[in-house]
Amino acid sequence: MSRKFIIGNWKMHTTSAEARQLAKAVVVGMSRVARVSVAICPPFPYLALVGEILKGSRVALGAQNLYPEKEGAFTGEVSPTMLLDLGCKYVILGHSERRHKLGESDTFINHKVRVALAAGLNVIFCVGETLVQRNAGRTKTVLDRQLVQGLAHLSAVTLTRLIIAYEPVWAIGSTGHDATPQQVQEAHAIIRHRFGRMFGTKSAEALSIQYGGSVKPKNATALLSRLGVDGALIGGASLHASQFLAIVRAGINEAQTEEESA
Ligand code: PEP
């Protein structure tokens, strides 16, 4: 996997004016780079306006969540059909903020993943342990459980549209606890191994695994150069076009280095 994939998760940030400005800056910055895949995931209310700005560019549109029904009496929810209608190619599911702050279970996340993939979306499925779990030596157990339960009953034909993001909860949001490149590489290997046991070695080799957890321009190269790190899911730094684009450039350089040494 040499082309890196960099995704911006804007979370519940920006006004419409800021969203417009940020999306335009990313599009302009991306017109000068090649050999990297990029997507941005604005809040629901700005998907349409950001989608208009991204049209014809090399930046794809993604959403931060969905409800696993096509339509119906689900007040306040947004369906996969609506996301596709707005031009979304990606959706983030299983994010730790939804697991821990909004109480989403592995079973519910699994339902969302299956419905999103069946609808034709590409899913960025997030997994990661808390600091308590890591300190108790339970990282592998937690990752295995999230993968086994979150990806249960997946149809094999949809696997190519699945991306996994390893996001240790303790490293998200500039907590002061950054994961080391070695810790990230080890966790990615655990994920790829489990995925291989579930879906076969070929699928595991082809799987794209992103890292997310306070990725910034200053640590992007060290993280993206690690074996098995196929890209990054960026929160805070994706709200600043210059920082986001600097991480994108780090992704391009690492992909080039990997190709030259292959
Ligand atoms: C995230 O929440 O997906 C994330 C990686 O955030 P941050 O980059 O701010 O740690």
Side-chain angles (χ1 to χ4, degrees):
M1 169 78 47
S2 56
R3 180 183 279 246
K4 305 283 182 188
F5 185 22
I6 313 293
I7 307 162
N9 172 14
W10 294 1
K11 308 193 185 188
M12 200 172 72
H13 290 292
T14 71
T15 61
S16 57
E18 286 162 353
R20 195 170 282 118
Q21 201 179 17
L22 184 52
K24 280 185 182 163
V26 172
V27 167
V28 170
M30 279 298 294
S31 64
R32 297 190 210 106
V33 298
R35 303 207 314 176
V36 64
S37 301
V38 169
I40 51 180
C41 305
F44 282 147
Y46 308 138
L47 281 172
L49 76 88
V50 169
E52 280 303 313
I53 294 165
L54 302 189
K55 260 188 198 149
S57 81
R58 294 186 35 247
V59 183
L61 185 67
Q64 299 173 22
N65 185 31
L66 56 67
Y67 192 77
E69 293 291 341
K70 207 170 166 200
E71 61 180 358
F74 301 101
T75 303
E77 297 297 340
V78 176
S79 74
T81 324
M82 291 169 182
L83 298 184
L84 289 163
D85 189 31
L86 287 170
C88 287
K89 205 171 160 199
Y90 296 94
V91 63
I92 299 172
L93 296 175
H95 194 283
S96 63
E97 286 152 15
R98 298 204 65 87
R99 289 178 189 268
H100 299 290
K101 294 183 183 171
L102 294 153
E104 290 194 1
S105 66
D106 288 309
T107 311
F108 185 49
I109 295 164
N110 174 248
H111 188 190
K112 288 184 178 196
V113 170
R114 285 187 287 124
V115 169
L117 288 172
L121 285 158
N122 294 274
V123 170
I124 300 143
F125 171 65
C126 304
V127 293
E129 79 288 359
T130 64
L131 193 56
V132 171
Q133 290 166 334
R134 174 163 281 262
N135 288 342
R138 296 185 52 231
T139 299
K140 182 176 180 307
T141 312
V142 171
L143 294 178
D144 281 348
R145 190 206 71 226
Q146 290 175 340
L147 290 165
V148 169
Q149 296 187 11
L151 302 180
H153 315 297
L154 283 202
S155 137
V157 290
T158 60
L159 285 183
T160 53
R161 281 189 283 104
L162 181 74
I163 293 151
I164 294 184
Y166 170 58
E167 298 215 306
V169 182
W170 47 277
I172 294 179
S174 302
T175 55
H177 298 281
D178 284 359
T180 65
Q182 185 59 30
Q183 287 172 318
V184 171
Q185 183 172 334
E186 283 165 12
H188 281 219
I190 291 171
I191 291 168
R192 208 176 292 279
H193 178 74
R194 170 55 55 188
F195 196 84
R197 289 188 63 180
M198 293 170 70
F199 302 109
T201 319
K202 269 207 175 128
S203 297
E205 280 168 6
L207 176 70
S208 177
I209 309 180
Q210 259 66 62
Y211 173 67
S214 304
V215 179
K216 308 282 181 217
K218 67 174 186 324
N219 61 6
T221 301
L223 291 162
L224 289 166
S225 61
R226 283 296 174 140
L227 188 70
V229 179
D230 303 312
L233 178 53
I234 321 288
S238 72
L239 295 170
H240 308 276
S242 60
Q243 290 188 30
F244 185 65
L245 290 164
I247 297 169
V248 168
R249 281 192 292 274
I252 299 167
N253 293 341
E254 278 322 307
Q256 256 160 5
T257 314
E258 277 174 26
E259 270 171 28
E260 280 158 17
S261 59

